[in-house]
Amino acid sequence: MQARRLEITGAYEFTPKSFPDRRGLFVAPFQEAAFVDATGHPLRVAQTNHSVSARNVVRGVHFSDVPPGQAKYVYCPQGALLDVVVDIRVGSPTFGRWEAARLDSTEYRAFYLAEGLGHAFVALTDDTVMNYLCSTPYNPAAEHGIDPLDPDLGLPWSDLDGEPILSEKDRTAPGLAQAAEQGMLPDYETCLAHYESLRDRG
């Protein structure tokens, strides 16, 4: 398993080895030892999520209140998608920046997004599956979104062959600046303190 720390603090990319043979293929998209070595703490899994999306479906930008927040370890076991991590933590040196990678059922690359980071993706094929390992259960009162089409964010949907397909909730979500004005966004220092507490707990 290869691990790469992204420029956005709290975000990592993991690439496992796969083992194809005449029967098919075996791969372990999540490996605790590699995860702990990269992040300094284990991943508590309180819930797993599974979504299926048609081509050009955009989901996100989603995030949760911190504390407790919801960290996510995501990978694509079927199809292909462009996954995006967005730094929405007020006070972060990379606030408003994003990084993206193709996740697919060829390389089984995964993204880890620590609490307080925004998450979005677009499905590049029909019947694209996303699997999520989540550190906390779903809490609708603590869940929020930012408009994934916000021109100030400039997320990488421009290469889509067709119009993006969004839920009504995502389409009507505030832009990043509006969310900041409304006090919706996580605080960077609070998030850093939370990450340190995870490492202390080991």
Side-chain angles (χ1 to χ4, degrees):
M1 172 80 86
Q2 294 181 339
R4 180 174 71 92
R5 185 194 302 252
L6 303 185
E7 292 185 12
I8 295 173
T9 298
Y12 297 81
E13 179 187 85
F14 293 89
T15 306
K17 290 183 179 180
S18 59
F19 301 92
D21 62 24
R22 61 185 178 83
R23 300 168 299 167
L25 176 140
F26 177 85
V27 65
F30 174 76
Q31 298 171 36
E32 184 179 47
F35 181 87
V36 172
D37 187 55
T39 66
H41 62 83
L43 176 64
R44 174 181 182 265
V45 178
Q47 180 171 313
T48 61
N49 297 339
H50 176 103
S51 69
V52 182
S53 300
R55 186 167 174 262
N56 288 347
V57 164
V58 174
R59 296 181 187 264
V61 177
H62 299 152
F63 65 98
S64 300
D65 291 334
V66 181
Q70 186 184 70
K72 297 174 182 175
Y73 188 97
V74 298
Y75 65 96
C76 174
Q78 177 177 298
L81 57 90
L82 185 67
D83 202 63
V84 183
V85 53
V86 186
D87 193 346
I88 57 169
R89 300 165 300 187
V90 175
S92 170
T94 53
F95 178 76
R97 289 175 53 186
W98 54 267
E99 295 190 56
R102 179 186 172 99
L103 307 185
D104 57 35
S105 53
T106 301
E107 294 188 340
Y108 295 90
R109 185 181 292 120
F111 258 7
Y112 172 69
L113 302 85
E115 296 86 346
L117 293 173
H119 179 242
F121 72 86
V122 60
L124 303 177
T125 65
D126 284 330
D127 298 319
T128 286
V129 174
M130 170 72 97
N131 278 355
Y132 312 68
L133 307 182
C134 302
S135 65
T136 56
Y138 175 64
N139 178 3
E143 296 286 329
H144 308 288
I146 293 169
D147 179 5
L149 304 182
D150 179 2
D152 290 337
L153 277 179
L155 299 183
W157 317 136
S158 58
D159 291 338
L160 292 181
D161 182 18
E163 289 296 314
I165 303 167
L166 280 70
S167 70
E168 185 62 22
K169 182 178 179 181
D170 287 345
R171 188 175 294 280
T172 58
L176 183 66
Q178 184 182 359
E181 290 170 3
Q182 294 174 355
M184 292 173 53
L185 301 179
D187 174 73
Y188 181 61
E189 294 300 328
T190 300
C191 290
L192 289 184
H194 179 72
Y195 308 156
E196 189 61 34
S197 73
L198 292 176
R199 287 189 283 271
D200 289 344
R201 282 181 245 161

